[in-house]
């Protein structure tokens, strides 16, 4: 009997050890309420027991550090109370339950705004998460606009797809012509009630190879495609950084599906004017404001 008990205890210890090993292999996802108003909105649920937003953020940061110390990968997802209420209503879940919140966080992690935790302070992590959420919302809105344009009455082509192809072509022409360096590109498309913005960071080696993330490139091209399809008066600004040289800023305006170079004066005016107030902004030291360069006007390949 003693031998059987000892064998059983060994099996239990082995099982416990295996579960701990598996737990270390499993990633974590945390839903974060970044805004005090969002935090206050969640307090109407009795099962949400946190009382102070600042304390809540400190506790989340401590938990993230604990996971990191254990070698566990953690993803932080933006928790939006309105989206959560909609999710519960559509899924038939009781919103005042912890399991409903965990299911929502898993849903957001698979399709929403997330940031991988790599040791950032919470004050650094929150702006990154908000920026990611804005980017994703912009991309989804731009995609919806393109999808709703339908087919061209004259040629039968899908207008949105043709505009995306054209925008992708313009982007690659711009990168091909920009040369080596680290490039920061901003695309601004004024709409009736808002302004669509897309930002792209990329680098090009001296051998001419551009390193471009597929997701960021697609987001940028989608916003630019809205301007191409709707023929809005948008613009693109390129800032290039190279070693031992001043940063260079170039600019273009979008006109009938083409990027037309701005003059150096126009680039200076655009870059040194507050977009919200229209007031002048002091130019940065160590920055050269340059005219846009020609990127070519050849047409992209048409997909049918």
């Amino acid at each position: 009997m003693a031998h059987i008990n000892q064998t059983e205890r060994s099996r239990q210890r082995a099982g416990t050890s295996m579960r701990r090993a598996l737990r270390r292999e499993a990633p974590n996802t945390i839903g974060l309420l970044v805004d005090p108003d969002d935090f206050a909105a969640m307090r109407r649920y009795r099962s949400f027991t946190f009382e102070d937003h600042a304390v809540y953020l400190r506790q989340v940061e401590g938990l993230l550090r604990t996971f990191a110390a254990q070698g566990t990968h953690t993803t932080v997802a933006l928790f939006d109370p309105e989206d959560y209420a909609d999710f519960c209503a559509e899924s038939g879940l009781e919103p005042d339950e912890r399991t409903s919140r965990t299911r929502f966080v898993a849903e957001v992690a698979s399709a929403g705004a997330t940031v991988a935790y790599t040791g950032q302070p919470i004050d650094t992590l929150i702006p990154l998460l908000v920026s990611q959420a804005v980017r994703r919302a912009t991309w989804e809105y731009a995609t919806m606009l393109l999808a709703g344009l339908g087919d061209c009455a004259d040629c039968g082509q899908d207008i949105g797809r043709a505009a995306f192809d054209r925008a992708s072509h313009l982007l690659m022409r711009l990168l091909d012509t920009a040369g080596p360096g680290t490039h920061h590109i901003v695309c601004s498309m004024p709409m009736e009630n808002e302004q669509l913005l897309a930002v792209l960071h990329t680098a090009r080696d001296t051998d001419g190879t551009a390193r471009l993330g597929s997701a960021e490139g697609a987001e940028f091209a989608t916003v630019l495609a809205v301007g191409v399809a709707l023929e809005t008066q948008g613009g693109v600004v390129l800032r290039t950084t190279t070693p031992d040289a001043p940063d260079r800023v170039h600019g273009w305006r979008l006109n009938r599906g083409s990027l037309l170079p701005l003059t150096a004066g126009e680039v200076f005016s655009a870059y040194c004017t507050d977009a919200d107030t229209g007031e002048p902004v002091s130019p940065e030291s160590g920055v050269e404001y340059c005219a846009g360069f020609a990127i070519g006007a050849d047409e992209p390949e048409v997909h049918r």
Side-chain angles (χ1 to χ4, degrees), residues 1 21 52 92 103 148 175 181 183 232 243 263:
M1 180 64 70
D52 183 272
R103 287 184 59 177
L175 293 175
H183 304 298
T232 59
T263 66

Side-chain angles (χ1 to χ4, degrees), residues 234-246:
V236 172
V237 173
L238 166 71
R239 179 167 180 160
T240 299
T241 301
T242 53
D244 303 320

Side-chain angles (χ1 to χ4, degrees), residues 221-238:
T222 301
V223 172
L224 181 58
V226 170
V228 171
L230 302 181
E231 296 188 352
T232 59
Q233 298 299 313
V236 172
V237 173
L238 166 71

Side-chain angles (χ1 to χ4, degrees), residues 82-289:
E82 292 185 4
D83 291 345
Y84 172 63
D86 292 340
F87 172 79
C88 290
E90 293 171 1
S91 305
L93 299 175
E94 168 54 54
D96 198 1
E97 289 186 3
R98 294 182 179 88
T99 54
S100 299
R101 292 196 290 274
T102 58
R103 287 184 59 177
F104 173 70
V105 170
E107 182 76 12
V108 173
S110 65
T114 61
V115 170
Y117 178 71
T118 57
Q120 313 97 316
I122 196 73
D123 291 342
T124 301
L125 184 65
I126 287 176
L128 291 174
L129 191 56
V130 172
S131 176
Q132 180 70 9
V134 171
R135 281 182 49 197
R136 187 168 189 86
T138 300
W139 174 71
E140 290 176 350
Y141 177 66
T143 300
M144 180 186 68
L145 285 178
L146 293 176
L149 294 176
D151 296 335
C152 175
D154 295 327
C155 65
Q157 284 188 342
D158 184 307
I159 297 174
R161 175 61 185 273
F164 181 83
D165 288 345
R166 177 61 179 169
S168 300
H169 175 72
L170 290 174
L171 175 59
M172 294 312 300
R173 290 289 300 172
L174 180 62
L175 293 175
D176 288 342
T177 315
T182 300
H183 304 298
H184 175 85
I185 315 172
V186 178
C187 175
S188 174
M189 292 296 148
M191 306 299 292
E192 183 176 354
N193 298 318
E194 60 183 314
Q195 183 158 298
L196 296 182
L197 287 174
V199 180
L200 178 64
H201 298 274
T202 185
R204 183 173 176 184
D205 298 326
T206 54
D207 63 2
T209 302
R211 301 192 299 273
L212 179 63
S214 58
E216 285 190 352
E219 291 170 3
F220 189 95
T222 301
V223 172
L224 181 58
V226 170
V228 171
L230 302 181
E231 296 188 352
T232 59
Q233 298 299 313
V236 172
V237 173
L238 166 71
R239 179 167 180 160
T240 299
T241 301
T242 53
D244 303 320
D247 283 8
R248 304 185 311 277
V249 177
H250 305 267
W252 296 260
R253 68 176 181 273
L254 183 64
N255 182 54
R256 297 183 179 275
S258 295
L259 289 176
L260 304 182
L262 298 176
T263 66
E266 289 172 327
V267 173
F268 179 89
S269 178
Y271 214 81
C272 298
T273 301
D274 189 287
D276 295 324
T277 65
E279 296 294 322
V281 178
S282 299
E284 295 183 57
S285 61
V287 175
E288 295 181 354
Y289 300 92

